[in-house]
Amino acid sequence: MPTTLAELTTLRLGGPAAELVEAPDEATLVEAVSSADDAGLPVLVVGGGSNLVVADEGYAGRVVVVRNGGLAVEADTCGGAFVEVGAGEPWDDVVAVAVERGWIGMEALSGIPGTTGATPIQNVGAYGQEVSQTVARVRTWDRRLRGIRTFAGADCGFGYRTSRFKRDPGRFVVLSTTFQLTLGRLGTPVRYAELAAALGVAVGERAPSVDVRRAVLDLRRGKAMVLDPADHDTWSTGSFFTNPVVPADAVPEGAPAWPQPDGQVKTSAAWLIERAGFAKGYGTQRVRLSSRHTLALTNRGDATTAELLDLARELRDGVQERFGITLVNEPVLVGCEL
Ligand SMILES: Cc1cc2nc3c(=O)[nH]c(=O)nc-3n(C[C@H](O)[C@H](O)[C@H](O)COP(=O)(O)OP(=O)(O)OC[C@H]3O[C@@H](n4cnc5c(N)ncnc54)[C@H](O)[C@@H]3O)c2cc1C
């Protein structure tokens, strides 16, 4: 069994865990968390460790590794499919099954690392889809009320890379998530220009979900956004910064601008970082930007969390100085801060 967080995170960073429990089923998961709560021991829930930055000092509490998998089909009729997935099930396996069975709505989320239970936490999204579009229910263990609570998708408070679970950190342990997917061989309309171009369709048109999955995986591999232990460009948390959402007049001239429903505008963190003088590969021998993606901060093998955070601060401060926009980290920081 692993004893350091470095063995549990895709960055391969983080010191020792005081205690570590693997939870292969739901009962063990709830027991591991609630007995720690009874004993006043801090708890860190870990899925695939692909969105976690843990301090070099490690974690002075119980690390509970979520491994309860399984996929239960509640309905698969012409009205659509209802599929309940255990929190520990690897996310990309679920997408692969969906595409194979002709359930649509998550094909553009192919290749995202980590577990299914973590996907509602930050409302995982990529290439024009987000899990909020297909989550029907999230079953949780509420550590404050000490009982099971189920939230309908509409009650999850989903937003861009956020949810009620992320806004109330640590309170809810996701036990399973139920997805509602429509049936068909064509994916949902393609909303992302780069993906549409790769598929040879216009934005808003549809393509076979099998082709969408293949195209997304190809695009992601080209940017080192699919895990590969041999490739240090993937020793990351994916994007380290979210795309900032700012008032329209704060967007620098020439920067990408995606209008939001509330009148604000989302712009590109990668564009800001590059224009502030940090190109792909920027950094040191030990920690640097991926050579294939400006937003991925990578461990080249022997880095420490402290070094990674130094680089993150340098980027954040550089962008702040040049454009007056403060970048916010996407991964969850444990025992450390920017
Ligand atoms: C190469 C790469 C590419 C990526 N690409 C994308 C992308 O395209 N889009 C995107 O949105 N994200 C992306 N990510 C980020 C990451 O994969 C997702 O956020 C993923 O959902 C995290 O899952 P995990 O199981 O690894 O969570 P972890 O990193 O283990 O945990 C993340 C957070 O969720 C909590 N958590 C985990 N499981 C549970 C649970 N069952 N109940 C309660 N809390 C829980 C943890 O305590 C922690 O706070 C990428 C990461 C990498 C390394």
Side-chain angles (χ1 to χ4, degrees):
M1 210 199 278
T3 52
T4 68
L5 271 304
E7 293 163 88
L8 291 169
T9 57
T10 53
L11 269 171
R12 290 151 173 93
L13 294 177
E19 261 190 42
L20 197 133
V21 179
E22 286 205 2
D25 53 63
E26 191 177 299
T28 313
L29 177 55
V30 171
E31 163 59 22
V33 172
S34 53
S35 62
D37 287 341
D38 288 341
L41 199 61
V43 175
L44 174 64
V45 173
V46 175
S50 60
N51 214 24
L52 274 177
V53 180
V54 184
D56 295 313
E57 292 72 29
Y59 189 70
R62 180 176 295 171
V63 172
V64 179
V65 187
V66 182
R67 293 282 178 258
N68 62 315
L71 198 142
V73 181
E74 290 174 22
D76 187 359
T77 65
C78 49
F82 266 88
V83 187
E84 183 178 12
V85 184
E89 189 71 23
W91 168 250
D92 193 50
D93 292 357
V94 179
V95 180
V97 169
V99 168
E100 198 183 292
R101 299 205 37 175
W103 303 331
I104 62 171
M106 48 173 67
E107 56 282 349
L109 301 176
S110 294
I112 298 179
T115 56
T116 305
T119 60
I121 306 284
Q122 73 153 6
N123 182 19
V124 155
Y127 294 100
Q129 283 182 350
E130 292 182 335
V131 287
S132 60
Q133 294 159 343
T134 49
V135 167
R137 294 192 292 272
V138 181
R139 239 175 101 252
T140 68
W141 173 255
D142 181 343
R143 292 172 62 200
R144 193 175 307 156
L145 298 184
R146 305 185 64 83
I148 303 268
R149 278 183 77 188
T150 300
F151 297 95
D155 295 328
C156 291
F158 287 128
Y160 168 59
R161 292 303 164 275
T162 193
S163 69
R164 75 179 303 156
F165 314 115
K166 183 149 185 177
R167 285 190 286 267
D168 201 349
R171 173 168 175 185
F172 298 101
V173 180
V174 175
L175 304 174
S176 69
T177 306
T178 302
F179 296 90
Q180 180 175 19
L181 301 155
T182 42
L183 305 189
R185 290 290 162 194
L186 292 180
T188 57
V190 177
R191 297 277 169 227
Y192 201 83
E194 187 187 24
L195 177 58
L199 287 161
V201 299
V203 171
E205 282 182 0
R206 302 173 70 184
S209 56
V210 178
D211 296 351
V212 174
R213 175 167 169 78
R214 197 179 309 121
V216 167
L217 287 172
D218 285 349
L219 287 171
R220 294 185 68 96
R221 277 193 203 100
K223 299 175 191 174
M225 281 287 148
V226 176
L227 292 183
D228 173 357
D231 180 357
H232 282 280
D233 274 342
T234 75
W235 291 29
S236 75
T237 56
S239 299
F240 193 91
F241 295 107
T242 53
N243 286 324
V245 178
V246 295
D249 60 2
V251 177
E253 210 182 314
W258 301 287
Q260 300 300 294
D262 65 356
Q264 301 215 98
V265 173
K266 190 196 283 178
T267 186
S268 160
W271 189 97
L272 296 171
I273 290 172
E274 280 167 13
R275 297 308 189 287
F278 308 105
K280 292 188 182 82
Y282 179 86
T284 68
Q285 291 298 325
R286 293 158 63 87
V287 58
R288 57 177 184 259
L289 293 180
S290 160
S291 64
R292 285 178 283 159
H293 198 298
T294 316
L295 283 183
L297 275 66
T298 63
N299 170 8
R300 309 316 291 188
D302 302 312
T304 61
T305 302
E307 289 168 325
L308 184 96
L309 292 172
D310 280 346
L311 176 60
R313 284 183 203 109
E314 188 183 350
L315 302 172
R316 181 199 59 190
D317 295 348
V319 167
Q320 169 69 41
E321 215 165 280
R322 173 88 173 72
F323 298 110
I325 293 176
T326 307
L327 295 180
V328 173
N329 53 290
E330 179 182 307
V332 175
L333 308 186
V334 178
C336 51
E337 54 191 29
L338 263 195

